[in-house]
Amino acid sequence: MMEPFVIRSARDSTELRLGPPDQVGGFSYRADLCSGVVNASVEVYDLEPSTLVRFMESVARDWRGWVGKKTWKSLEGHIGLECECDSLGHVFIPVRLRDGFGVQDWLAEGTLFVEAGQLSALANACQRVFGIQTAG
């Protein structure tokens, strides 16, 4: 069985686990956000998980930094990522998981802290898990 794509915070025990995906008329996969204070899971459905692979590749390609925020979210908004960086090579990734619509809606948030030097390995791991070949 394939392992999930995992982003571990370099600062604390927070981690985001995505996948592995099942392909049934699109892709569905589990997203888990775990930390000392939050543990949340949601089933994510997406028609094109290649957008996540391209997002992670974009962040890795710009490892020296960028202006503003880089954002990505799944098709139905069950998971969203925002990447921001500082001038010291730190990357902050606020993660938002949500499930349900209307009355039963819930939301969980946490922030991952990674070093710019980790970004290439993260993009490669995302590529391996989601198995999408993208054009360079």
Side-chain angles (χ1 to χ4, degrees):
M1 181 175 190
M2 184 181 292
E3 293 294 315
F5 168 49
V6 179
I7 304 174
R8 289 184 180 88
S9 181
R11 185 171 282 168
D12 57 26
S13 65
T14 304
E15 71 176 26
L16 176 66
R17 302 172 71 81
L18 302 175
D22 293 323
Q23 184 174 5
V24 180
F27 285 83
S28 64
Y29 54 92
R30 183 178 167 129
D32 299 306
L33 178 61
C34 304
S35 74
V37 295
V38 172
N39 288 300
S41 297
V42 66
E43 191 69 20
V44 178
Y45 178 76
D46 211 335
L47 292 173
E48 292 193 44
S50 61
T51 61
L52 174 58
V53 174
R54 286 192 302 269
F55 173 76
M56 292 304 299
E57 289 174 342
S58 168
V59 171
R61 190 171 36 255
D62 295 337
W63 68 271
R64 286 187 176 95
W66 58 86
V67 176
K69 298 177 184 179
K70 290 181 175 270
T71 61
W72 173 84
K73 69 177 181 175
S74 64
L75 176 67
E76 295 177 339
H78 288 111
I79 180 170
L81 305 176
E82 281 186 356
C83 290
E84 297 180 79
C85 63
D86 66 17
S87 61
L88 301 175
H90 304 128
V91 180
F92 305 91
I93 309 173
V95 177
R96 175 181 283 204
L97 298 185
R98 65 175 288 271
D99 195 18
F101 294 96
V103 177
Q104 299 298 319
D105 194 29
W106 60 261
L107 174 68
E109 296 178 312
T111 300
L112 301 163
F113 171 87
V114 300
E115 301 287 346
Q118 295 174 260
L119 296 175
S120 181
L122 288 172
N124 289 337
C126 185
Q127 165 65 34
R128 279 191 307 273
V129 171
F130 287 95
I132 307 299
Q133 298 299 318
T134 59

